[in-house]
């Protein structure tokens, strides 16, 4: 998640109009701009494929309850896990909604950008919750 947040614009930029390659041309040369690729967010939060590293991570987190140190309240940990699931789901939902922003009535690139901003906010919050969960389990965290 830290990688996603640190490289948000590079990851969420899609194909530039007139280009079929999303990796070679990051800035449009035709002056029109690049489309966004909000569904890439779903890969990072585990909502795109069963092969995503965070796919159903909350289930694994719940199975880790017996590993909690004695000074960590189980209820507080479970609340964090539930919050993680909520934030991850909201970031996925906002990314999905963003992908349809132009197709909806009164939609457009501004709607796409607005929902993508909401998704980024949710990813930031889910990363913070995940950091707290790792701290509860005395697991190391990697900074961005």
């Amino acid at each position: 998640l830290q990688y996603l947040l640190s490289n948000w614009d590079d990851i969420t930029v899609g194909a530039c109009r007139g280009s079929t390659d999303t990796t070679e041309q990051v800035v449009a040369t035709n002056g029109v701009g690049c489309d966004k690729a909000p569904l890439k967010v779903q890969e990072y939060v585990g909502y795109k494929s069963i092969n995503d590293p965070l796919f159903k991570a909350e289930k694994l987190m719940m199975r880790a309850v017996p590993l909690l140190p004695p000074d960590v309240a189980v209820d507080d940990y479970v609340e964090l896990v539930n919050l993680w699931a909520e934030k991850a789901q909201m970031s996925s939902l906002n990314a999905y909604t963003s992908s349809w922003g132009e197709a909806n009535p009164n939609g457009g690139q501004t709607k796409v950008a607005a929902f993508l901003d909401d998704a980024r906010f949710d990813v930031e919050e889910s990363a913070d919750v995940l950091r707290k969960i790792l701290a509860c389990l005395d697991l190391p965290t990697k900074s961005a």
Side-chain angles (χ1 to χ4, degrees):
L1 293 179
Q2 290 302 322
Y3 180 80
L4 172 63
L5 291 170
S6 297
N7 300 287
W8 185 265
D9 290 331
D10 293 336
I11 292 169
T12 60
V13 74
C16 295
R17 295 193 174 100
S19 171
T20 57
D21 189 0
T22 60
T23 57
E24 286 185 19
Q25 185 176 0
V26 176
V27 177
T29 56
N30 59 6
V32 177
C34 297
D35 292 327
K36 294 291 184 180
L39 293 180
K40 290 185 180 182
V41 172
Q42 291 181 328
E43 296 173 22
Y44 286 85
V45 295
Y47 275 78
K48 181 124 183 187
S49 165
I50 61 171
N51 296 322
D52 295 338
L54 291 175
F55 178 73
K56 295 194 177 187
E58 63 277 2
K59 292 185 185 251
L60 179 63
M61 293 172 192
M62 291 306 290
R63 289 194 304 247
V65 167
L67 302 175
L68 289 171
D71 62 327
V72 176
V74 173
D75 290 342
D76 292 342
Y77 176 80
V78 170
E79 187 175 322
L80 283 172
V81 172
N82 289 335
L83 185 59
W84 152 260
E86 176 187 326
K87 294 300 178 184
Q89 184 176 11
M90 283 305 300
S91 60
S92 174
L93 177 69
N94 281 323
Y96 180 79
T97 305
S98 176
S99 72
W100 285 95
E102 262 190 302
N104 288 328
N106 297 322
Q109 285 295 320
T110 55
K111 291 289 185 187
V112 171
F115 282 111
L116 197 53
D117 285 343
D118 290 344
R120 182 179 182 142
F121 178 75
D122 291 326
V123 170
E124 289 170 349
E125 286 188 331
S126 63
D128 185 49
V129 173
L130 185 57
R131 203 173 294 111
K132 291 175 183 176
I133 290 169
L134 293 173
C136 285
L137 293 167
D138 285 331
L139 294 173
T141 58
K142 192 185 246 186
S143 298

